[in-house]
Amino acid sequence: MPDKRWQPALLKQLTSGDAFALGKAAKSRRSEELTARTATADRVVQSICPYCAVGCGQKIYVKDEKVVQIEGDPDSPVSRGRLCPKGAASEQLVNSPLREMKVKYRPPYGTSWQELDLDDATEMIADRVIETREKWWEATDDQGRPLNRTRGFAFLGGATLDTEENYLIKKLFTALGAIQIENQARI
Protein backbone atom coordinates (compact mmCIF):
# COMPACT_ATOMS: atom_id res chain seq x y z
CA MET A 1 0.00 0.00 0.00
CA PRO A 2 1.43 3.43 -0.94
CA ASP A 3 2.43 5.92 1.74
CA LYS A 4 -0.66 8.13 2.36
CA ARG A 5 1.49 11.17 3.15
CA TRP A 6 2.29 11.46 -0.56
CA GLN A 7 -1.25 10.87 -1.75
CA PRO A 8 -2.32 13.64 -4.20
CA ALA A 9 -4.67 16.16 -2.60
CA LEU A 10 -7.56 15.56 -5.02
CA LEU A 11 -7.36 11.80 -4.57
CA LYS A 12 -7.30 12.26 -0.79
CA GLN A 13 -10.34 14.52 -1.07
CA LEU A 14 -12.32 12.04 -3.14
CA THR A 15 -11.40 8.90 -1.17
CA SER A 16 -11.87 10.38 2.32
CA GLY A 17 -15.57 11.13 1.90
CA ASP A 18 -14.77 14.85 2.31
CA ALA A 19 -15.38 16.08 -1.25
CA PHE A 20 -15.23 19.77 -0.33
CA ALA A 21 -12.06 19.39 1.79
CA LEU A 22 -13.62 20.99 4.82
CA GLY A 23 -12.55 18.43 7.38
CA LYS A 24 -10.55 15.23 7.21
CA ALA A 25 -9.17 15.84 3.73
CA ALA A 26 -7.83 19.27 4.68
CA LYS A 27 -5.86 17.95 7.64
CA SER A 28 -2.32 16.69 7.48
CA ARG A 29 -0.37 14.79 10.09
CA ARG A 30 1.63 17.96 10.80
CA SER A 31 -1.44 20.18 11.14
CA GLU A 32 -2.98 17.77 13.65
CA GLU A 33 0.11 18.19 15.86
CA LEU A 34 0.18 22.00 15.74
CA THR A 35 -0.85 24.09 18.72
CA ALA A 36 -2.12 27.64 18.37
CA ARG A 37 0.02 30.41 19.90
CA THR A 38 -3.11 31.57 21.70
CA ALA A 39 -3.52 28.20 23.43
CA THR A 40 -0.09 28.42 25.07
CA ALA A 41 -0.41 32.01 26.31
CA ASP A 42 0.02 32.71 30.02
CA ARG A 43 -2.56 35.49 29.95
CA VAL A 44 -4.73 37.58 27.64
CA VAL A 45 -4.81 41.36 27.93
CA GLN A 46 -7.52 43.50 26.36
CA SER A 47 -6.36 46.63 24.57
CA ILE A 48 -7.22 49.14 21.88
CA CYS A 49 -5.50 49.23 18.49
CA PRO A 50 -3.02 52.14 18.41
CA TYR A 51 -3.41 53.15 14.77
CA CYS A 52 -6.48 55.29 14.13
CA ALA A 53 -9.50 56.95 15.68
CA VAL A 54 -11.80 53.94 15.33
CA GLY A 55 -10.54 52.28 18.51
CA CYS A 56 -10.89 48.60 17.58
CA GLY A 57 -10.63 46.15 20.46
CA GLN A 58 -7.68 43.79 20.60
CA LYS A 59 -6.83 40.69 22.59
CA ILE A 60 -3.13 40.51 23.30
CA TYR A 61 -1.78 37.04 24.11
CA VAL A 62 1.29 37.05 26.36
CA LYS A 63 3.63 34.15 27.11
CA ASP A 64 6.70 34.56 29.31
CA GLU A 65 6.15 38.35 29.32
CA LYS A 66 6.36 38.48 25.50
CA VAL A 67 3.50 39.25 23.12
CA VAL A 68 2.93 36.13 21.02
CA GLN A 69 -0.30 37.05 19.20
CA ILE A 70 -2.69 39.96 18.76
CA GLU A 71 -6.22 39.34 17.52
CA GLY A 72 -9.44 41.28 17.24
CA ASP A 73 -11.63 41.23 20.34
CA PRO A 74 -15.03 39.71 19.49
CA ASP A 75 -16.51 41.39 22.60
CA SER A 76 -15.60 44.86 21.34
CA PRO A 77 -18.73 46.83 20.42
CA VAL A 78 -16.62 48.90 18.04
CA SER A 79 -15.00 46.24 15.88
CA ARG A 80 -16.69 42.96 16.90
CA GLY A 81 -13.45 41.02 16.50
CA ARG A 82 -12.34 42.58 13.23
CA LEU A 83 -9.04 44.38 12.62
CA CYS A 84 -7.75 46.21 9.57
CA PRO A 85 -4.42 45.02 8.08
CA LYS A 86 -2.44 47.44 10.25
CA GLY A 87 -4.22 46.38 13.44
CA ALA A 88 -3.85 42.71 12.53
CA ALA A 89 -0.10 43.19 12.04
CA SER A 90 0.46 45.12 15.27
CA GLU A 91 2.20 42.13 16.87
CA GLN A 92 5.02 42.78 14.38
CA LEU A 93 5.21 46.38 15.62
CA VAL A 94 5.58 45.20 19.22
CA ASN A 95 8.16 42.50 18.53
CA SER A 96 10.14 44.13 15.72
CA PRO A 97 13.91 44.00 16.20
CA LEU A 98 13.95 47.54 14.75
CA ARG A 99 11.70 48.92 17.50
CA GLU A 100 13.38 51.67 19.52
CA MET A 101 13.38 50.82 23.20
CA LYS A 102 15.41 53.77 24.46
CA VAL A 103 14.82 57.51 24.56
CA LYS A 104 16.52 59.18 21.59
CA TYR A 105 17.44 62.85 21.61
CA ARG A 106 18.93 65.06 18.93
CA PRO A 107 20.20 68.33 20.38
CA PRO A 108 19.60 71.62 18.55
CA TYR A 109 21.75 71.77 15.40
CA GLY A 110 22.87 68.22 16.09
CA THR A 111 23.36 65.78 13.23
CA SER A 112 22.97 62.52 15.16
CA TRP A 113 20.76 60.98 17.82
CA GLN A 114 22.00 60.16 21.29
CA GLU A 115 20.49 57.87 23.89
CA LEU A 116 19.15 59.40 27.10
CA ASP A 117 18.12 57.82 30.35
CA LEU A 118 14.33 58.03 30.80
CA ASP A 119 14.69 59.98 34.06
CA ASP A 120 17.03 62.48 32.38
CA ALA A 121 14.64 62.91 29.45
CA THR A 122 11.69 63.45 31.82
CA GLU A 123 13.66 66.07 33.77
CA MET A 124 14.65 67.78 30.50
CA ILE A 125 11.01 68.02 29.42
CA ALA A 126 9.88 69.30 32.82
CA ASP A 127 12.63 71.94 32.86
CA ARG A 128 11.68 73.12 29.38
CA VAL A 129 7.97 73.32 30.23
CA ILE A 130 8.72 75.40 33.35
CA GLU A 131 11.15 77.66 31.47
CA THR A 132 8.74 78.20 28.57
CA ARG A 133 5.84 78.88 30.92
CA GLU A 134 7.84 81.52 32.81
CA LYS A 135 9.17 83.14 29.64
CA TRP A 136 5.77 83.45 27.94
CA TRP A 137 3.53 83.94 30.98
CA GLU A 138 0.84 86.64 30.62
CA ALA A 139 -0.50 87.65 34.03
CA THR A 140 -2.67 90.55 32.79
CA ASP A 141 -3.70 92.23 29.54
CA ASP A 142 -2.95 95.84 28.54
CA GLN A 143 -5.81 97.09 30.69
CA GLY A 144 -4.77 95.19 33.82
CA ARG A 145 -7.40 92.46 33.56
CA PRO A 146 -6.18 89.02 34.72
CA LEU A 147 -5.21 86.53 32.01
CA ASN A 148 -3.03 83.96 33.84
CA ARG A 149 -2.07 82.14 30.67
CA THR A 150 0.79 81.22 28.41
CA ARG A 151 0.93 80.97 24.66
CA GLY A 152 4.39 79.43 24.84
CA PHE A 153 3.19 75.88 24.34
CA ALA A 154 0.13 74.02 23.16
CA PHE A 155 -1.16 70.47 23.10
CA LEU A 156 -2.54 68.47 20.18
CA GLY A 157 -3.94 65.09 21.21
CA GLY A 158 -4.01 62.00 19.05
CA ALA A 159 -6.95 60.04 17.76
CA THR A 160 -6.27 57.02 19.95
CA LEU A 161 -6.50 58.92 23.24
CA ASP A 162 -9.50 57.81 25.23
CA THR A 163 -11.85 60.06 27.20
CA GLU A 164 -9.97 59.60 30.47
CA GLU A 165 -6.61 60.46 28.91
CA ASN A 166 -8.08 63.53 27.23
CA TYR A 167 -9.62 64.63 30.54
CA LEU A 168 -6.28 64.37 32.37
CA ILE A 169 -4.38 66.12 29.56
CA LYS A 170 -6.92 68.95 29.51
CA LYS A 171 -6.63 69.34 33.31
CA LEU A 172 -2.81 69.34 33.19
CA PHE A 173 -2.43 71.86 30.37
CA THR A 174 -5.16 74.12 31.75
CA ALA A 175 -3.39 74.11 35.13
CA LEU A 176 -0.15 75.02 33.34
CA GLY A 177 -1.94 78.01 31.79
CA ALA A 178 -2.03 76.79 28.19
CA ILE A 179 -4.93 77.98 26.08
CA GLN A 180 -4.24 76.07 22.87
CA ILE A 181 -5.46 72.58 23.74
CA GLU A 182 -6.93 70.48 20.96
CA ASN A 183 -7.58 66.90 19.98
CA GLN A 184 -7.71 65.81 16.35
CA ALA A 185 -10.00 62.83 16.98
CA ARG A 186 -12.71 62.43 14.37
CA ILE A 187 -15.21 60.46 16.43
Side-chain angles (χ1 to χ4, degrees):
M1 181 164 198
D3 186 358
K4 290 195 174 207
R5 289 181 302 173
W6 304 107
Q7 197 174 38
L10 180 61
L11 184 59
K12 183 177 178 184
Q13 220 172 299
L14 296 174
T15 59
S16 69
D18 184 14
F20 295 108
L22 299 174
K24 186 177 175 183
K27 292 181 182 174
S28 67
R29 183 177 298 157
R30 181 176 179 276
S31 66
E32 288 178 354
E33 296 170 0
L34 293 176
T35 304
R37 287 178 287 204
T38 57
T40 61
D42 299 328
R43 68 180 194 273
V44 181
V45 181
Q46 289 185 302
S47 186
I48 304 292
C49 180
Y51 283 108
C52 74
V54 174
C56 296
Q58 291 183 321
K59 285 192 170 193
I60 300 175
Y61 294 85
V62 180
K63 180 178 176 73
D64 300 326
E65 297 305 311
K66 183 177 188 287
V67 174
V68 293
Q69 181 70 15
I70 296 179
E71 296 180 350
D73 184 356
D75 296 330
S76 168
V78 173
S79 56
R80 298 179 303 198
R82 298 174 185 88
L83 293 174
C84 72
K86 286 175 86 172
S90 55
E91 179 271 332
Q92 295 169 13
L93 172 73
V94 173
N95 292 323
S96 172
L98 302 175
R99 181 180 179 196
E100 290 290 347
M101 300 298 281
K102 299 188 182 219
V103 176
K104 299 286 186 174
Y105 171 70
R106 191 180 73 190
Y109 309 105
T111 58
S112 61
W113 294 93
Q114 53 186 282
E115 288 182 6
L116 283 183
D117 180 65
L118 180 59
D119 290 335
D120 293 339
T122 304
E123 286 294 323
M124 184 184 292
I125 292 167
D127 291 343
R128 290 178 180 187
V129 166
I130 292 167
E131 178 185 331
T132 302
R133 183 176 185 263
E134 288 174 0
K135 181 178 179 181
W136 294 96
W137 186 255
E138 298 174 0
T140 59
D141 66 9
D142 294 340
Q143 298 173 357
R145 293 177 292 200
L147 292 174
N148 296 324
R149 70 180 187 194
T150 182
R151 289 190 268 187
F153 51 78
F155 182 82
L156 174 62
T160 58
L161 294 173
D162 62 26
T163 304
E164 292 81 10
E165 290 165 325
N166 277 315
Y167 173 79
L168 293 172
I169 288 165
K170 171 72 171 146
K171 295 280 278 186
L172 170 66
F173 278 84
T174 300
L176 288 170
I179 57 173
Q180 297 101 340
I181 305 168
E182 188 58 65
N183 188 310
Q184 58 90 345
R186 296 176 296 273
I187 56 173

